[in-house]
Amino acid sequence: MRLKDLPEEELFLQGSAACQGCPGSMALRVAFKALGRNTLLVVIASCTSVLQSPFPLSALDLPVLNMAFASGGAVASGISAAVNRLVKRGVLEEKPTVLVWAGDGGTYDIGIQALSGAAERETDFIYVCYNNEAYSNTGTQRSGATPYAAWTTNTVTGKKEWRKDIAQIMVAHNIPYVATASLAYPLDFYQKMRKAMSIQGTKYIEMLAPCPPGWKFPSDSTVLVSRMAVQTGLWLLYEYENGKTTYTAGTKRIIEGHAELKPVEEYLKIQGRFRHLFYPERDELRIAEYQGRINDLFDTLRFTYKMREHLMDLEFLPTRRVP
Ligand SMILES: Cc1ncc(C[n+]2csc(CCOP(=O)(O)OP(=O)(O)O)c2C)c(N)n1
Ligand SMILES: [Mg+2]
């Protein structure tokens, strides 16, 4: 499949209020192409609430429910139950896909309880977290997804903590499908959305969403920054299905030895939010900490790949930690 084979119908329309180079709007466009018209969208407070355009206009050509910040999983549970009932009563012929579109603040932090509850109840819906690694809509404050050493308005010398690995927290919920995605690999994202749509139960997909004003890079570089995150190993592309994790696209190529792992500083250097790691002088320690974590992670991933046929016989599987 190629990009030109994607459906031509646009459900994310022109004239949105998104910033130039907004990753969220690019991701919405591809996601809508994958899911099609029979989709009910739940948006919780985030940039997506704003980019839809001021009422009565809307850039989203789908039914949308704009809901409170913490409520994504809970609202999806209600909608999913209502839709099941309508199908049972014959009011709806085909069950619509229920899609929650949430930011990282609304997922890693304030929305995790509602999401966890919905996942544990095996609610049938897709939850997409577009992770721009900050509370962007309110002016770039730190979230649980903000990476180590990154500037935000309340981590002015760089965040002191490492981010949590929420995709693995979702794997631990025993849901049928978890995947990560990048805008630089739109077909990979499209196929993951299609697969999620075909599976019953809770599906969690996370898209890394480089935000030009928040991460401080030019607005024509969103895809470049997305690609660099994967090529330097800071963002992993994989899908988890039936208890098995499969690495995909750029990450798979690195693990299998078909592409090199680029130095992380190539990714850090192109973003103003990491400027203090290079100016006025190089912060060797924090750069080395990053590279060390990535090297450890990829040593584990390559080892697991090499030993994949034997690992089932081993008593343990190596653990991994994302940078
Ligand atoms: C309970 C509550 N607290 C705070 C807000 C204000 N608020 C709206 S959007 C937002 C930031 C959302 O961040 P994130 O979920 O990462 O989405 P992004 O803006 O980055 O797209 C905040 C703090 C709110 N709407 N509700
Ligand atoms: Mg955010």
Side-chain angles (χ1 to χ4, degrees):
M1 185 178 199
R2 293 173 186 192
L3 267 183
K4 68 177 171 60
D5 301 324
L6 295 189
E8 277 181 20
E9 189 180 29
E10 298 289 353
L11 298 171
F12 184 80
L13 306 176
Q14 292 180 2
S16 81
C19 304
Q20 273 188 358
C22 169
S25 54
M26 291 186 215
L28 280 167
R29 190 172 170 215
V30 178
F32 288 177
K33 282 180 185 284
L35 300 184
R37 245 183 213 290
N38 199 19
T39 304
L40 302 176
L41 176 64
V42 177
V43 172
I44 60 165
S46 59
C47 291
T48 312
S49 326
V50 181
L51 67 77
Q52 294 169 36
S53 297
F55 184 81
L57 303 174
S58 176
L60 308 182
D61 197 8
L62 285 174
V64 188
L65 203 57
N66 282 293
M67 296 304 290
F69 202 9
S71 69
V75 175
S77 301
I79 305 269
S80 188
V83 162
N84 283 341
R85 190 84 194 128
L86 291 174
V87 172
K88 213 169 173 183
R89 281 173 37 195
V91 179
L92 289 178
E93 262 176 40
E94 206 188 324
K95 192 178 169 188
T97 303
V98 179
L99 171 68
V100 174
W101 197 267
D104 51 296
T107 304
Y108 282 62
D109 302 339
I110 193 167
I112 190 170
Q113 177 254 358
L115 170 60
S116 174
E120 190 269 333
R121 292 188 298 272
E122 300 181 3
T123 305
D124 185 23
F125 76 120
I126 303 176
Y127 189 105
V128 173
C129 168
Y130 71 100
N131 174 9
N132 52 24
E133 300 188 329
Y135 292 71
S136 299
N137 173 47
T138 41
T140 319
Q141 293 82 30
R142 93 191 265 294
S143 78
T146 303
Y148 179 64
W151 167 92
T152 63
T153 51
N154 48 7
T155 56
V156 287
T157 55
K159 190 182 171 194
K160 297 209 164 30
E161 303 82 16
W162 296 83
R163 77 174 176 93
K164 61 173 124 165
D165 190 350
I166 199 150
Q168 289 302 304
I169 295 174
M170 294 318 293
V171 166
H173 280 74
N174 293 316
I175 57 176
Y177 190 72
V178 175
T180 55
S182 158
L183 283 170
Y185 305 85
L187 274 182
D188 180 68
F189 176 48
Y190 177 84
Q191 279 157 351
K192 285 168 175 168
M193 290 300 290
R194 293 290 298 177
K195 190 180 275 187
M197 192 183 161
S198 71
I199 297 171
Q200 167 85 21
T202 303
K203 287 81 61 176
Y204 177 83
I205 298 186
E206 184 166 345
M207 159 69 73
L208 183 69
C211 163
W215 296 17
K216 304 192 182 301
F217 61 81
S219 55
D220 62 358
S221 302
T222 305
V223 174
L224 172 84
V225 176
S226 300
R227 190 178 305 116
M228 290 297 289
V230 174
Q231 290 179 336
T232 57
L234 250 180
W235 187 251
L236 299 178
L237 294 177
Y238 63 89
E239 59 184 355
Y240 166 88
E241 202 186 351
N242 299 326
K244 197 176 156 220
T245 301
T246 313
Y247 291 90
T248 63
T251 304
K252 177 180 154 87
R253 287 197 277 281
I254 299 171
I255 295 172
E256 294 183 356
H258 303 305
E260 58 161 343
L261 184 64
K262 294 194 172 162
V264 69
E265 65 173 277
E266 288 185 21
Y267 172 74
L268 303 175
K269 255 186 184 157
I270 53 177
Q271 302 169 53
R273 65 177 175 156
F274 292 111
R275 191 172 188 274
H276 50 279
L277 298 186
F278 302 96
Y279 302 98
E281 57 197 39
R282 247 178 101 83
D283 188 335
E284 293 295 354
L285 189 68
R286 283 195 281 183
I287 298 169
E289 271 182 297
Y290 253 120
Q291 196 60 62
R293 282 217 180 196
I294 293 173
N295 293 347
D296 286 351
L297 172 64
F298 273 81
D299 285 349
T300 306
L301 295 176
R302 286 174 177 138
F303 171 78
T304 313
Y305 174 70
K306 229 160 77 195
M307 302 296 285
R308 64 195 179 285
E309 274 139 32
H310 313 289
L311 277 175
M312 289 305 161
D313 304 330
L314 292 180
E315 288 284 297
F316 77 98
L317 284 173
T319 51
R320 34 159 272 198
R321 187 171 59 165
V322 291

